[in-house]
Amino acid sequence: HLQDYKAANMHCQELMASGYSESWEVCSQLGQSEGYQDMAVRQELIAYALTHCPPSALKSLLTASNALRTEILYHAVSYEMHPSEKEESRPPLASKTESALEVDSSIPSRQSADLLLWTTAKTMKVLSDTTLTTKAMLHAVSDGKWWKKSLTYLRPLHGQEFGDVLKTTIGTNTAIEKQGCHTFYESLIDDPYLANNEVTYTTYQHTPLESFAEVLLRTGKLAETKSEGHDQFPATEVLLQLACEALPNDITLSLAYLLALPQVVDANKCFEKQPPSALSLQLASYYYSLQIYARLAPCFKDKCHPLYRADPRELIQLVTEHVTRTSYADWPDEIATLIKHLQYYNERLLDFTQAQILQGLGKGVDVQRFTADGQYKRETILGLAETLEENVYKIALSLAQRYSIPLWEVYMTHLEFLFSDSGLSTSAIEERAQSLGLFETLKTVPDAFHERMVKYVYPTIEGRDHRRLLYYFMLLDNCSCPEFVKHVIKPEIHIHLLKKFKAVAPGLDYKKLTERNVNPLEALDPVLTSQNILSISKLASKIPEKDGRMLAASSVYAVWLKKLFWNGDPHLIKKVPETIPEWLHAYDICAKYFDRLSPGDIMEFMDEITFSSKAVIKLSVDARIEMTKKAIKSVKHIAEKARKKASRGDDAEGVTTRHLTEEDALSHLQQSFAHLETLSHSFISYLKNSDQTILQEYGHLYDLSRSEKEKISEQAVTMCIDGQPLNMIQKLLEVAVGDLGLSSRDVVQKAVTKVVEALSGDCGEFSFKKDPLQILEGIVSAVHTSAENGENLVSSDDLLAWLRPFCGNDALPVKPRIQVLQILEQAFHLRDEDSKLLVLFRTQAVLKACWPQIQVEITDIENEEKRYTLFLQLLDSSESHEEFQHLVMLLQAWPPMKSVNITCAHNDPWVKLGSAMLAKSLPEHKENMGNEILKICRSLYGTKHMLSVECIKDLCLQLLNQSLLLPSLKLLVESGDQDLHALALEQITAAAKVDDTNCDSELLSLLLDEKLVVKCVSTVLYSHLVHHLLATQEEGRWSIEEIAKQLQEGGCGAEAGSLLMAYRGTHPALRTFGAALSAVKHWI
């Protein structure tokens, strides 16, 4: 009877509250009553009985307590694994235990249940099968007072609900940055982590808070005890789970769980799940140190080994040092495996510690990546070497040594940083490099040092920073690595040059001076003055030119003299010349240095001051002539002195190596003088004084040409391409000095060649501003005009000969070849043989593109009948749109056929082509084909191939037969023929409605153009005509008043009036018949 149990429990509670010890037996009887389902109360009663019973009753009570605990745990585990069971089927377990398990099972992903599924199944089997009784679990405890006191002592509680505790631990100490411990041990640990659930205390009643893993472990162990060890509980997964859960809150408890693992290395599963922190990594090292030490020096089971009292850091250090001194081969396999794990976690701990130091530097180091990524680690350490902070630099050196990064790499990186990003002066860089002893290490690998300096340091140095460049080359020179220097200038030469330039030309861009593929004279030009020209010219022999040869002093003087002439000098020419006398005076100053110039440099200097664009603008022709005369005189004098020295055997140094002699220079100057005199020629004056910009440009180009053959030829070709008359080109060639070996024919041939190259798709370096065909047309026109004027400079035969290869080249597109032939045909009255040849070229060009298998000769197309036969043959074999298009091109390329038998409507080739296109097109393509025929007919308007009225009518009738009304109407209307108009109106009148097949805006515009509005009044198109007319009135294409007048004259007065009222904006309600008639009388 349930009510009896409750009454009995009430009395027992009163007895227990009063502390009556003799009531233990009654409490024991009620606690062991299996009919009483409140197992939590039963457990409490048995606990009281155990506290107050005599020693002789301990065994039986412990057995009963153990069985009751096993039953409670069994039901708890069973409900956790099968939570769908009904509430009524569960026994009334302790409410706090149930609550704890329920909340625990609600943790996301049900981690505990999933992890322990198979171990739970094993435990359930043990609990279901065992019938053994419990053996003694504890030694006899004779002191009953101790038991009473221990149960009533204050004990820490976990809180009211286990789920609340779990929620508070989420996100707290998850990184394991502090050592978690029980509150009792708080004073023994520096800055510990105390979980919130460890700080609440109460008296008398203790409700143990257990996770699913703890419940499962206790259940399994109880079952194992009951089976007397026959059924071993597989505790590995449970212990790992408990260790992971306990680690953030109680690291000692977590270690205890790990030490209880059957297999030592299984602890790795726990350690690898933890976030990398100093504490978690040190715990792993401590764990393996304990295991190694315990195996090397086993402890006695009845004593506590001093190993567990030792300082963890000292133990780790002791074990690590011991195993490091001996190789793996000397250890058993089990211990060797443990040593590998120990060293692995020691390495990770050291990496992590170093990374924490790096992170503390505030340099943006990713600690976890530094620990795991070797390449990132190397780059980070070398990056730290790029600093002026001593502590950071020392850390970089320490890390490099720790991770076996060569000291050479660190020093080289630091040196590169000093040059590029340190912001230090050169003297400061030199001082720091010396104080750190960088160079002593760097010069041990000279090839790598030279490579890194050239690749990373040299580009960072500014070309005008001579001090830093000097230090750079001194480092290379001290490296003793001449075999690695690939540049023409060796480091010692650089040092010599820099020391000189630093004194005489501080603004010189030295890097530009010595850079490959750069003219060194361009770098010297800005810094040359009358004060340093002598010093720099002496250094010229050490400076390489682009071709690898050394610079000549003469070239340096030549550059300086140009600058002196145009810009003056504070000491020689204090004012920039402006007047002619001043320019002549400037020349005289420069001429004093001619004896230091080679003949070639004299020529270059004179060309600069007489035939440059600047000279043409600033100097008069007379001044240029005068300077050239003086130069001729000076060169003759220099040549005379050279001959005298040569006769005495005292030849000037370097004269024998000169490529140009004084005679060459004299000849050059004499031609310059002769050319300058031609500038007064009437033709050149005409060009320069012309109102046309292009003719002025011709005059300017001729002035600069010096009558050199290449320049004159280029100018003449340009004039030809521009379409200038051939007689103008001939005059240019006649005025130029000397025998150039050029004729107008040569010029035109070169121009035609350029055009042909452009048409062939190979423009080269020459580009046209206009379409090449337009240029060719201009050339042909100029040749035609010249031939008509009887100048006999270039003939049509010449043009045909130059263009024939292009027209006969089968690899080129057909269209431009035909266009070229048409240009020739339009310009010249060709002989019969040439005309046949042109027809042959055209025919071959079209055939090669679409019918390459058909070969024709001139005899196959020499008359209309043969051409017509060939056309019919091709038409019969044609099926595709591309073939029909080439037939159109073929008919256009041929002369119009004039034979009566051929030109009649049913035999006309154009009509036959249209008929074939319609007949061979698919039904779904009929409409497109009709529009294509319309385009072909329109392309013939205004040409010699324009179709006759009969042919147009025939084509239109064929279009009508194919129900292609719209293109047929357009052809009929735009023909301008009255009969065809009548045919069109007949078709329009027959139309019952307007749709896309018989009307569009283009047809309406054509009807308006042909003044057919009056004849369309009675058709369905009229309203559309009026609407189209009013909608397009802003274009001004048609006059509405004029059309209204036509309507009135045609007897359509009402329509005319209605049109005018709509045009003038009259409201539709007012457009009555009478109003329309009145409007006609009023407005017309």
Side-chain angles (χ1 to χ4, degrees):
H1 304 289
L2 184 60
Q3 188 62 36
D4 293 339
Y5 287 125
K6 287 187 177 181
N9 176 47
M10 183 177 64
H11 293 301
C12 287
Q13 294 294 333
E14 292 176 353
L15 291 171
M16 289 190 294
S18 64
Y20 181 60
S21 60
E22 297 301 326
S23 63
W24 72 267
E25 189 171 4
V26 176
C27 293
S28 171
Q29 291 176 1
L30 183 58
Q32 295 182 59
S33 299
E34 295 184 1
Y36 190 16
Q37 297 297 314
D38 194 337
M39 284 184 281
V41 174
R42 289 172 59 193
Q43 194 174 25
E44 184 181 353
L45 293 168
I46 293 176
Y48 183 83
L50 277 170
T51 305
H52 296 278
C53 73
S56 60
L58 276 175
K59 179 178 180 180
S60 60
L61 284 176
L62 285 174
T63 301
S65 176
N66 196 24
L68 182 59
R69 288 168 58 200
T70 303
E71 185 179 358
I72 292 173
L73 292 173
Y74 171 81
H75 284 292
V77 172
S78 177
Y79 177 71
E80 176 64 20
M81 298 308 300
H82 306 286
S84 60
E85 292 180 357
K86 294 183 179 179
E87 187 71 24
E88 297 80 21
S89 66
R90 294 165 47 205
L93 302 179
S95 60
K96 297 187 184 299
T97 304
E98 294 179 18
S99 177
L101 289 173
E102 289 170 8
V103 176
D104 190 25
S105 66
S106 67
I107 297 174
S109 79
R110 298 186 55 84
Q111 179 181 357
S112 298
D114 292 342
L115 179 64
L116 305 175
L117 178 60
W118 70 276
T119 54
T120 302
K122 174 69 176 177
T123 303
M124 299 296 293
K125 181 178 183 297
V126 173
L127 290 171
S128 301
D129 295 345
T130 182
T131 58
L132 299 177
T133 59
T134 305
K135 296 184 70 176
M137 296 172 58
L138 300 170
H139 294 289
V141 179
S142 58
D143 189 358
K145 293 182 180 180
W146 179 86
W147 279 102
K148 297 174 185 178
K149 184 177 181 180
S150 64
L151 290 174
T152 56
Y153 194 80
L154 295 176
R155 296 180 182 179
L157 295 178
H158 293 282
Q160 297 301 314
E161 291 293 334
F162 182 64
D164 295 335
V165 177
L166 276 183
K167 292 175 183 176
T168 59
T169 59
I170 296 175
T172 56
N173 201 33
T174 53
I176 316 180
E177 296 176 348
K178 291 184 178 183
Q179 181 174 343
C181 70
H182 193 282
T183 311
F184 184 77
Y185 303 103
E186 177 181 2
S187 61
L188 301 178
I189 302 172
D190 295 333
D191 191 22
Y193 169 75
L194 301 176
N196 294 335
N197 58 320
E198 296 290 352
V199 297
T200 303
Y201 289 82
T202 187
T203 59
Y204 183 72
Q205 185 179 7
H206 169 50
T207 302
L209 180 63
E210 296 173 313
S211 71
F212 180 61
E214 289 176 309
V215 172
L216 189 58
L217 181 62
R218 286 206 302 126
T219 306
K221 287 302 178 182
L222 284 172
E224 188 177 312
T225 302
K226 292 184 70 176
S227 69
E228 299 186 20
H230 289 97
D231 293 320
Q232 292 291 328
F233 176 64
T236 299
E237 295 295 336
V238 181
L239 291 171
L240 286 174
Q241 177 67 21
L242 290 170
C244 291
E245 291 176 356
L247 188 56
N249 299 326
D250 193 338
I251 197 169
T252 307
L253 178 60
S254 178
L255 179 61
Y257 283 132
L258 294 174
L259 290 173
L261 288 170
Q263 298 295 327
V264 176
V265 294
D266 284 340
N268 250 18
K269 299 177 181 178
C270 175
F271 294 138
E272 291 300 327
K273 291 179 181 179
Q274 307 309 316
S277 69
L279 196 59
S280 65
L281 295 173
Q282 193 173 17
L283 177 63
S285 297
Y286 180 52
Y287 171 81
Y288 285 109
S289 297
L290 284 173
Q291 298 287 4
I292 294 170
Y293 196 104
R295 280 159 176 73
L296 295 177
C299 62
F300 297 101
K301 295 183 178 179
D302 59 343
K303 295 181 180 179
C304 181
H305 200 293
L307 163 69
Y308 298 100
R309 298 193 184 97
D311 186 295
R313 288 173 293 184
E314 295 178 1
L315 178 64
I316 294 171
Q317 183 178 1
L318 176 65
V319 174
T320 301
E321 290 177 354
H322 179 70
V323 300
T324 304
R325 290 194 295 266
T326 310
S327 66
Y328 291 146
D330 299 329
W331 301 109
D333 292 342
E334 180 186 8
I335 297 180
T337 302
L338 298 178
I339 292 172
K340 288 181 181 180
H341 283 90
L342 173 62
Q343 292 181 337
Y344 169 74
Y345 284 106
N346 281 344
E347 287 289 330
R348 286 193 60 186
L349 178 61
L350 186 55
D351 287 347
F352 184 84
T353 305
Q354 298 280 20
Q356 289 283 38
I357 295 173
L358 297 179
Q359 194 174 42
L361 296 175
K363 303 295 183 182
V365 179
D366 186 333
V367 175
Q368 294 189 6
R369 187 178 175 192
F370 181 89
T371 305
D373 189 340
Q375 181 64 26
Y376 178 76
K377 184 183 302 176
R378 175 186 175 87
E379 293 174 356
T380 300
I381 294 172
L382 293 179
L384 289 175
E386 298 180 355
T387 182
L388 296 177
E389 301 176 35
E390 291 301 325
N391 62 322
V392 178
Y393 181 70
K394 289 178 181 178
I395 290 173
L397 292 177
S398 173
L399 290 172
Q401 184 177 6
R402 163 72 184 83
Y403 297 111
S404 304
I405 296 176
L407 190 61
W408 190 96
E409 285 283 349
V410 180
Y411 282 177
M412 191 68 231
T413 302
H414 188 64
L415 183 63
E416 292 168 0
F417 163 75
L418 293 179
F419 271 95
S420 60
D421 298 321
S422 68
L424 297 178
S425 63
T426 303
S427 57
I429 293 174
E430 190 172 356
E431 181 180 347
R432 181 171 177 82
Q434 187 174 0
S435 65
L436 295 177
L438 302 181
F439 195 66
E440 295 302 320
T441 301
L442 293 175
K443 69 180 181 181
T444 59
V445 191
D447 55 339
F449 176 72
H450 178 267
E451 181 183 357
R452 292 279 289 270
M453 291 290 283
V454 170
K455 188 174 182 180
Y456 297 112
V457 175
Y458 185 70
T460 67
I461 304 175
E462 208 275 324
R464 294 176 178 81
D465 192 347
H466 296 178
R467 178 73 184 85
R468 185 159 296 193
L469 284 168
L470 183 60
Y471 179 54
Y472 167 83
F473 286 112
M474 288 175 65
L475 289 178
L476 290 184
D477 187 47
N478 293 335
C479 186
S480 302
C481 50
E483 65 274 15
F484 306 117
V485 180
K486 299 178 181 179
H487 199 275
V488 177
I489 310 178
K490 301 301 179 184
E492 61 269 18
I493 303 299
H494 280 295
I495 294 171
H496 174 72
L497 290 173
L498 281 165
K499 287 180 178 178
K500 293 290 185 181
F501 283 124
K502 187 171 176 289
V504 301
L508 171 68
D509 188 341
Y510 185 79
K511 290 178 71 174
K512 184 177 179 181
L513 177 73
T514 56
E515 189 176 346
R516 289 188 179 97
N517 301 321
V518 175
N519 188 353
L521 295 174
E522 294 178 4
L524 288 172
D525 186 13
V527 300
L528 291 175
T529 67
S530 60
Q531 303 301 301
N532 63 17
I533 181 62
L534 181 60
S535 301
I536 294 177
S537 66
K538 291 180 180 179
L539 300 173
S541 59
K542 301 182 184 299
I543 303 171
E545 295 191 64
K546 288 195 296 185
D547 57 6
R549 295 182 302 171
M550 291 302 171
L551 201 61
S554 170
S555 301
V556 178
Y557 268 103
V559 171
W560 172 65
L561 287 178
K562 295 174 188 176
K563 182 179 177 182
L564 176 64
F565 180 81
W566 293 118
N567 302 330
D569 182 85
H571 298 88
L572 298 178
I573 305 174
K574 298 181 180 180
K575 179 185 175 184
V576 177
E578 294 179 357
T579 64
I580 297 303
E582 289 175 349
W583 287 115
L584 292 176
H585 173 70
Y587 167 79
D588 292 337
I589 298 296
C590 295
K592 294 178 181 179
Y593 295 91
F594 275 10
D595 57 344
R596 301 188 184 183
L597 301 181
S598 67
D601 287 327
I602 293 176
M603 293 160 53
E604 184 181 346
F605 172 73
M606 289 305 301
D607 286 347
E608 169 68 22
I609 67 173
T610 54
F611 290 105
S612 65
S613 296
K614 190 185 296 185
V616 172
I617 294 171
K618 292 189 175 184
L619 303 177
S620 66
V621 175
D622 292 337
R624 292 158 64 195
I625 291 175
E626 182 63 26
M627 287 189 293
T628 305
K629 286 181 181 178
K630 291 183 177 183
I632 292 173
K633 184 177 179 181
S634 297
V635 171
K636 286 181 179 179
H637 179 67
I638 293 171
E640 184 62 28
K641 287 175 64 178
R643 279 194 294 271
K644 290 180 180 179
K645 287 182 179 181
S647 63
R648 293 197 305 266
D650 186 20
D651 194 6
E653 183 180 356
V655 169
T656 55
T657 62
R658 292 173 179 174
H659 297 290
L660 296 173
T661 64
E662 285 78 5
E663 286 72 18
D664 295 328
L666 188 60
S667 174
H668 182 87
L669 292 172
Q670 287 172 343
Q671 178 167 339
S672 298
F673 177 76
H675 177 78
L676 289 170
E677 288 189 324
T678 63
L679 297 180
S680 59
H681 191 281
S682 59
F683 175 68
I684 304 302
S685 299
Y686 160 73
L687 294 177
K688 286 190 169 186
N689 299 326
S690 174
D691 295 334
Q692 299 181 37
T693 304
I694 191 168
L695 296 183
Q696 294 176 13
E697 181 64 21
Y698 294 153
H700 181 72
L701 289 174
Y702 176 79
D703 193 343
L704 297 176
S705 69
R706 257 195 80 257
S707 291
E708 294 176 7
K709 180 177 179 179
E710 292 77 12
K711 293 181 179 180
I712 293 293
S713 175
E714 183 179 351
Q715 180 179 350
V717 170
T718 301
M719 294 171 66
C720 183
I721 289 173
D722 290 341
Q724 300 298 338
L726 295 189
N727 63 345
M728 180 182 290
I729 297 173
Q730 184 63 28
K731 287 179 182 178
L732 178 73
L733 299 177
E734 292 172 354
V735 171
V737 175
D739 183 12
L740 302 178
L742 289 173
S743 65
S744 299
R745 185 178 182 277
D746 298 329
V747 172
V748 175
Q749 183 177 5
K750 289 182 179 180
V752 170
T753 301
K754 290 182 180 295
V755 172
V756 168
E757 289 174 352
L759 291 172
S760 303
D762 181 19
C763 296
E765 298 179 358
F766 194 89
S767 59
F768 294 111
K769 297 179 182 179
K770 297 191 301 183
D771 179 45
L773 286 171
Q774 293 180 353
I775 294 172
L776 179 62
E777 195 168 355
I779 294 173
V780 171
S781 177
V783 171
H784 178 69
T785 302
S786 174
E788 286 186 340
N789 294 337
E791 293 171 354
N792 199 26
L793 298 175
V794 181
S795 66
S796 59
D797 293 337
D798 294 329
L799 280 177
L800 279 172
W802 299 331
L803 292 171
R804 187 176 287 117
F806 169 77
C807 296
N809 189 347
D810 301 337
L812 297 175
V814 177
K815 190 172 183 179
R817 289 190 284 158
I818 293 179
Q819 288 173 328
V820 168
L821 291 171
Q822 288 174 340
I823 290 172
L824 290 173
E825 187 180 32
Q826 291 169 4
F828 300 109
H829 297 290
L830 301 179
R831 293 173 298 181
D832 185 55
E833 292 141 359
D834 290 335
S835 298
K836 290 180 181 179
L837 190 60
L838 284 177
V839 173
L840 175 64
F841 285 162
R842 293 173 178 176
T843 305
Q844 289 177 338
V846 175
L847 293 180
K848 287 292 183 183
C850 206
W851 297 278
Q853 74 280 6
I854 298 179
Q855 303 293 329
V856 295
E857 300 295 336
I858 197 167
T859 54
D860 299 324
I861 45 88
E862 60 183 354
N863 55 46
E864 286 185 5
E865 287 75 14
K866 291 184 177 181
R867 290 195 291 271
Y868 186 70
T869 301
L870 175 62
F871 168 77
L872 293 178
Q873 176 187 346
L874 296 174
L875 182 63
D876 185 58
S877 63
S878 298
E879 299 286 344
S880 66
H881 177 265
E882 182 183 5
E883 290 173 328
F884 290 136
Q885 289 297 316
H886 279 78
L887 285 176
V888 172
M889 295 172 62
L890 184 64
L891 291 177
Q892 289 177 331
W894 285 343
M897 296 185 182
K898 299 178 180 179
S899 173
V900 177
N901 294 332
I902 296 176
T903 55
C904 63
H906 60 279
N907 286 333
D908 187 86
W910 293 104
V911 175
K912 283 190 170 293
L913 175 61
S915 302
M917 291 171 68
L918 289 173
K920 296 182 179 182
S921 64
L922 298 175
E924 59 269 22
H925 297 155
K926 290 291 185 183
E927 184 177 352
N928 291 335
M929 196 59 71
N931 293 329
E932 191 65 32
I933 292 173
L934 176 61
K935 289 179 183 178
I936 293 173
C937 294
R938 285 176 170 176
S939 68
L940 303 180
Y941 293 164
T943 69
K944 53 189 177 182
H945 293 282
M946 185 173 177
L947 297 179
S948 64
V949 173
E950 291 78 10
C951 293
I952 293 176
K953 182 178 181 180
D954 197 298
L955 275 176
C956 289
L957 291 175
Q958 293 188 47
L959 289 171
L960 290 173
N961 290 335
Q962 297 290 337
S963 299
L964 298 173
L965 181 58
L966 189 58
S968 175
L969 289 176
K970 291 178 182 180
L971 273 178
L972 292 170
V973 171
E974 65 188 11
S975 67
D977 184 78
Q978 296 296 326
D979 295 336
L980 297 184
H981 283 178
L983 180 59
L985 290 170
E986 180 182 340
Q987 298 297 324
I988 292 173
T989 303
K993 64 176 182 177
V994 177
D995 53 30
D996 293 339
T997 63
N998 58 19
C999 181
D1000 63 6
S1001 59
E1002 185 183 24
L1003 176 62
L1004 296 175
S1005 297
L1006 291 173
L1007 290 170
L1008 290 170
D1009 289 337
E1010 296 297 326
K1011 297 180 174 55
L1012 298 176
V1013 178
V1014 177
K1015 297 181 180 180
C1016 293
V1017 169
S1018 60
T1019 68
V1020 293
L1021 284 186
Y1022 178 72
S1023 60
H1024 295 271
L1025 270 173
V1026 172
H1027 178 73
H1028 179 69
L1029 177 62
L1030 294 173
T1032 58
Q1033 58 180 313
E1034 294 182 0
E1035 299 177 7
R1037 186 171 174 182
W1038 305 285
S1039 170
I1040 291 183
E1041 288 83 357
E1042 181 65 28
I1043 294 176
K1045 190 174 182 179
Q1046 295 173 14
L1047 288 168
Q1048 184 190 28
E1049 293 174 354
C1052 302
E1055 287 79 2
S1058 178
L1059 174 62
L1060 288 173
M1061 285 193 293
Y1063 172 60
R1064 296 177 181 273
T1066 304
H1067 193 278
L1070 302 177
R1071 298 177 196 171
T1072 63
F1073 183 78
L1077 294 176
S1078 300
V1080 171
K1081 296 177 182 179
H1082 179 71
W1083 284 324
I1084 297 181

